[in-house]
Amino acid sequence: MNEYDSEIMAGLLKDSGYHLADEMEVADVILLNTCYVREKVKHKVYSKLGELKKLKEKKPGLILGLCGCLVQKEPKETLRQAPYLDFILGTSNFFELPQVLREICGDNRGGGERGDQVAVPFMAQARKRRTQVVRVEEGRAVPENLPKLRKRKFGAFVPVIRGCDNFCSYCNVPYVRGREKSRSPKDILKEIEGLTHQGYKEVILLGQNVNSYGRGLEKKIDFADLLGLVNQIEGLSRIRFTTSHPKDLSDKLIKRMAELDKVCEHLHLPIQSGSNRILSRMNRGYTREEYKCLVDKVHQIIPQISFTTDIIVGFPGETEKDFEDTLDLVKEIGFDGAFTFCYSPLAGTKATEFKKRVSQEVSKERLRKLIEVQQGITLERNKPLIGQNLEVLVEGISKKSPYELEGRTRGNKIVIFKGKENLIGELISLRITEAGCWALRGEGELTI
Ligand code: SF4
């Protein structure tokens, strides 16, 4: 979501006459868009701001801004830590960026929320300015039809719902992103149609919990219905979505996933822990048995599904037995992949009040064990793919191997292969020749 908001900010700036600088040193405006899901983020941001402060001292015209979740959560603290910031914009104000820049530069001509088409002759204006702008409101809807400078050229993010009503005890999303707000299906479809005209073949529907899409909308619609509508868009080949909350994964949605040809056979379903005691303390709203039952159901209806998950270890009160329960469930389910984390207390969340903190050493050791187990499982899940011909959307030059390309299967597996750069963005068929735990290797590309 944060990346998508950054694409909007870049798009707004481009429409206002700015262009992306290749290096920080030559930029006239530097923006950090912060995601605050872990306390560590805060230290990283302030350390980065410390560096930028030095740059600003050398170049007084430089405009420095901070946006996103950290600012939304702690505006006063942010300004106390970094009083030299020229502006801060919260998660409900980031789209006011062009207007805010004009205010800073002493140009108060106003304009719409987009600050349409008023290019600022930057450095000249910047020398005059000295206003610090602070905009951190709550719950404002993000306007539709904002311009975007898309970073991803092969698959585009499209938010369908923003915010969250779930209040997991370790998470601050409901506080920094507000309550759930679904976009209208009309706006979503219009955005995706526009993307297909630009040549995008894949969309990734985004939401903190896509499964609660539609609540509060005038028209009666749920996420399964929305998938059906998106599936009808001509020119689109693949639909992905993230994230699904297990408690809201309906039978209707599972059935619809199986029926719709463009919906990829991949489900990211965060489990977080395999211990019922910890799941309850996390306020997740399901038990390990219910989660397992869901996974079995999906496997029955979509046998080729690939499952990934998120797991937190070292949650306050997690005993060795709780951790063993998580390991057992991980082995029993056999996830294709897992994003694993040590619990990190986040100020203002319920979990910070819980007693019996798990020490860092213990958390790290549990994480190490979990990763080791999961890597073995991922490898075992990948091996049967050897010899199969799989559809791959080519995403770009491989991050692991600069002379090769990489793409993604419908099951969300990365495939590395030798090929010409003009294949980037194309759907091809590759025969899988090797399986590792991070990626597969393929050959013999055929454009589909
Ligand atoms: S579902 Fe829980 S973890 Fe996910 S965004 Fe909402 S509160 Fe946070």
Side-chain angles (χ1 to χ4, degrees):
M1 199 63 88
N2 192 271
E3 270 192 46
Y4 180 80
D5 291 349
S6 296
E7 290 179 344
I8 292 181
M9 286 193 274
L12 286 165
L13 288 180
K14 185 166 178 266
D15 266 21
S16 300
Y18 304 115
H19 64 268
L20 283 173
D22 293 329
E23 290 160 18
M24 295 257 206
E25 286 66 24
V26 299
D28 292 321
V29 183
I30 299 179
L31 273 177
L32 299 186
N33 191 16
T34 60
C35 169
Y36 188 24
V37 286
R38 294 161 70 71
E39 203 63 24
K40 219 161 74 182
V41 167
K42 192 149 84 173
H43 308 302
K44 268 191 174 176
V45 169
Y46 290 133
S47 136
K48 188 77 203 168
L49 281 176
E51 276 173 41
L52 294 175
K53 183 181 173 220
K54 288 186 196 135
L55 191 59
K56 198 169 160 62
E57 281 162 1
K58 280 195 228 147
K59 192 177 165 184
L62 174 65
I63 294 183
L64 261 188
L66 197 64
C67 313
C69 300
L70 177 61
V71 169
Q72 186 72 34
K73 184 81 199 310
E74 301 178 351
K76 284 192 187 137
E77 176 63 9
T78 306
L79 290 172
R80 198 183 63 77
Q81 294 267 0
Y84 47 86
L85 278 168
D86 295 282
F87 67 94
I88 60 170
L89 287 173
T91 51
S92 289
N93 298 85
F94 68 91
F95 47 85
E96 295 169 58
L97 180 59
Q99 196 184 333
V100 165
L101 285 176
R102 286 203 310 275
E103 279 174 42
I104 291 170
C105 296
D107 175 349
N108 287 315
R109 277 174 289 174
E113 270 170 336
R114 288 176 49 175
D116 290 316
Q117 309 299 331
V118 185
V120 180
F122 225 170
M123 295 309 286
Q125 293 280 1
R127 275 185 205 106
K128 285 195 262 160
R129 76 187 164 76
R130 270 303 163 252
T131 320
Q132 186 181 57
V133 181
V134 176
R135 301 261 169 88
V136 186
E137 291 163 61
E138 273 178 28
R140 289 186 67 200
V142 177
E144 290 296 335
N145 304 320
L146 293 171
K148 284 139 213 119
L149 195 60
R150 304 257 180 195
K151 204 168 129 199
R152 293 164 65 101
K153 300 292 173 232
F154 36 85
F157 292 131
V158 178
V160 298
I161 178 169
R162 285 176 178 267
C164 184
D165 287 356
N166 284 314
F167 294 94
C168 300
S169 63
Y170 52 84
C171 176
N172 66 13
V173 165
Y175 310 104
V176 295
R177 290 244 170 220
R179 302 302 146 80
E180 287 173 2
K181 248 185 248 105
S182 294
R183 287 177 73 193
S184 83
K186 194 167 141 249
D187 289 328
I188 295 168
L189 296 176
K190 192 172 154 208
E191 181 170 348
I192 300 176
E193 277 159 8
L195 287 164
T196 57
H197 291 144
Q198 290 169 46
Y200 281 91
K201 293 195 168 68
E202 179 181 285
V203 286
I204 303 126
L205 307 180
L206 292 181
Q208 268 77 30
N209 179 16
V210 290
N211 296 349
S212 51
Y213 175 78
R215 287 179 199 160
L217 282 179
E218 238 173 74
K219 186 175 177 229
K220 198 174 167 311
I221 183 169
D222 60 18
F223 188 58
D225 300 329
L226 181 70
L227 281 183
L229 294 173
V230 177
N231 200 70
Q232 288 169 21
I233 295 179
E234 260 186 57
L236 187 68
S237 304
R238 287 179 170 194
I239 305 167
R240 297 189 185 282
F241 55 87
T242 193
T243 293
S244 283
H245 196 300
K247 77 175 170 53
D248 297 316
L249 184 69
S250 67
D251 289 357
K252 178 179 168 185
L253 177 57
I254 302 171
K255 214 167 141 261
R256 203 56 67 84
M257 281 178 73
E259 288 162 0
L260 301 172
D261 61 328
K262 294 177 187 172
V263 176
C264 290
E265 296 76 19
H266 170 231
L267 188 59
H268 184 71
L269 198 63
I271 182 161
Q272 308 299 9
S273 170
S275 152
N276 283 340
R277 215 176 55 81
I278 297 300
L279 284 172
S280 158
R281 279 165 81 85
M282 287 176 164
N283 194 30
R284 290 292 290 171
Y286 54 84
T287 61
R288 63 178 273 143
E289 292 76 20
E290 284 162 347
Y291 185 94
K292 177 74 184 24
C293 196
L294 260 183
V295 169
D296 291 344
K297 202 185 290 176
V298 178
H299 268 303
Q300 270 170 20
I301 301 176
I302 316 169
Q304 67 281 37
I305 194 87
S306 140
F307 266 109
T308 52
T309 197
D310 295 337
I311 302 171
I312 298 170
V313 296
F315 190 77
E318 185 189 70
T319 60
E320 234 4 84
K321 162 84 177 64
D322 294 318
F323 175 64
E324 288 301 325
D325 284 350
T326 300
L327 273 188
D328 287 348
L329 194 62
V330 164
K331 289 177 196 162
E332 211 179 310
I333 290 178
F335 293 107
D336 290 83
F339 297 94
T340 51
F341 311 89
C342 282
Y343 168 73
S344 142
L346 258 185
T349 56
K350 183 86 187 139
T352 55
E353 297 164 20
F354 294 165
K355 303 276 177 311
K356 298 198 182 149
R357 290 275 176 89
V358 178
S359 72
Q360 280 219 350
E361 294 70 45
V362 171
S363 290
K364 279 188 186 158
E365 179 51 22
R366 288 179 187 170
L367 186 68
R368 191 197 60 72
K369 269 193 205 163
L370 177 62
I371 292 173
E372 195 179 284
V373 167
Q374 182 54 52
Q375 281 181 342
I377 297 171
T378 302
L379 188 59
E380 287 312 307
R381 295 278 306 155
N382 287 348
K383 276 183 190 165
L385 300 174
I386 297 174
Q388 291 190 23
N389 289 315
L390 297 181
E391 179 198 284
V392 171
L393 176 61
V394 185
E395 295 188 347
I397 308 286
S398 168
K399 290 178 203 79
K400 296 275 172 185
S401 164
Y403 303 108
E404 292 176 291
L405 299 178
E406 72 179 38
R408 221 169 267 264
T409 67
R410 286 176 62 101
N412 208 36
K413 312 263 181 187
I414 292 172
V415 188
I416 298 175
F417 66 101
K418 287 197 168 57
K420 298 208 177 80
E421 279 188 37
N422 61 4
L423 288 173
I424 295 172
E426 296 294 330
L427 277 170
I428 61 168
S429 173
L430 285 173
R431 196 177 69 258
I432 305 304
T433 54
E434 274 176 56
C437 89
W438 184 83
L440 308 169
R441 191 166 274 285
E443 63 179 26
E445 81 274 4
L446 276 176
T447 306
I448 293 172

